[in-house]
Amino acid sequence: MYPIIVIPSRLASTRLPRKPLADIGGVPMIVRVVRRALAAKIGPVVVAAGDAEILDVVRDIPGVHGVLTDSALASGSDRVHAALAKVDPDGVHDVVINLQGDLPLIEPSSLTAVLKPLEDPAFDIGTLAAPVTGETEREASQVVKIACAFGENDVTRALYFSRLPIPWGEGPHWHHVGVYAWRRQALERFVSLAPSALERRESLEQLRALEAGMTIGCARIDHAPQGVDTPADLEHVRGLA
């Protein structure tokens, strides 16, 4: 594999406007995410920005390439795809890691882990799963759960994703960490598809891939990193940084 990391980022956020530029210990959030990506040392790092202000704060970071994309793009996956067309039009990088710009505390080792599923040619996409640690996390609709079973393995197939606590019955639940490793061909196919019925119903983009017959492999990590979606999340992360 010859991976590249692309971080989609835009200022328009309904719950936390101008989120990428939010200050965390004197450093904009997008800069903290970029530093984590660079620390992984697994490939070039690209910021796919929907706004020029984002590029202004990452411009002087060595080893980072900033790309301005259409602010009207519908999703992070579309933004990643658009940036790749500019920075790697010949498809030199066969795998792209889509790292969300609101994960300033993600461990660099998690970016290595998300590549593990793609060591198996049966998987089109890799992603991350962490144990759900309590009832509040399990029941929260903003925490996406994965129907999967690891057994003795650190990689397994994702059967479904939901905002409900699936599967039913005794046993562990798995928190989906929204970082993806895409085979380049899989990303090309995905962005060509219209939003699917279950995707619209659950408001989960990855269900489009499953409905289209694509396979998603989950790599197990120990802890889900704290994401930043709301002002309360931001304050929490500030206390942890």
Side-chain angles (χ1 to χ4, degrees):
M1 288 184 281
Y2 188 34
I4 185 172
I5 300 174
V6 182
I7 306 169
S9 184
R10 65 190 185 104
L11 295 181
S13 172
T14 55
R15 288 183 287 183
L16 188 60
R18 301 179 62 80
K19 180 166 61 171
L21 305 183
D23 182 274
I24 302 174
V27 179
M29 181 162 57
I30 186 63
V31 173
R32 285 186 173 269
V33 177
V34 164
R35 288 175 178 173
R36 297 289 174 128
L38 290 169
K41 297 180 179 179
I42 56 176
V45 176
V46 175
V47 174
D51 307 271
E53 284 183 78
I54 296 170
L55 297 184
D56 290 340
V57 300
V58 302
R59 182 170 288 117
D60 296 329
I61 302 175
V64 175
H65 189 98
V67 177
L68 187 63
T69 57
D70 186 347
S71 61
L73 287 171
S75 70
S77 300
D78 292 311
R79 201 169 303 285
V80 168
H81 180 259
L84 278 174
K86 294 184 178 182
V87 301
D88 186 27
D90 297 326
V92 172
H93 296 280
D94 57 345
V95 170
V96 54
I97 295 177
N98 179 343
L99 171 58
Q100 307 302 328
D102 56 6
L103 293 174
L105 302 180
I106 191 166
E107 294 292 339
S109 61
S110 294
L111 301 179
T112 302
V114 78
L115 293 170
K116 288 182 181 179
L118 298 191
E119 294 173 3
D120 184 341
F123 291 124
D124 299 305
I125 306 162
T127 194
L128 299 173
V132 169
T133 58
E135 183 178 355
T136 299
E137 182 181 7
R138 185 176 64 247
E139 299 296 330
S141 62
Q142 68 270 27
V143 174
V144 178
K145 275 70 67 174
I146 312 173
C148 65
F150 281 99
E152 298 299 318
N153 300 316
D154 288 329
V155 172
T156 193
R157 183 172 179 174
L159 299 178
Y160 193 70
F161 298 81
S162 180
R163 298 184 183 278
L164 289 173
I166 56 171
W168 183 83
E170 295 296 324
H173 288 86
W174 297 97
H175 180 149
H176 179 227
V177 179
V179 177
Y180 298 94
W182 293 86
R183 295 193 195 278
R184 194 71 176 266
Q185 291 178 333
L187 180 60
E188 293 283 348
R189 182 184 175 207
F190 179 83
V191 298
S192 73
L193 298 171
S196 65
L198 290 173
E199 173 189 1
R200 293 193 300 269
R201 183 167 178 172
E202 292 257 22
S203 191
L204 294 175
E205 190 181 35
Q206 60 269 40
L207 293 178
R208 186 192 317 176
L210 292 184
E211 287 188 83
M214 301 166 79
T215 53
I216 302 178
C218 302
R220 177 167 46 188
I221 59 175
D222 292 335
H223 306 286
Q226 175 65 55
V228 178
D229 289 318
T230 66
D233 292 338
L234 180 59
E235 289 306 313
H236 183 55
V237 165
R238 283 170 173 163
L240 298 172

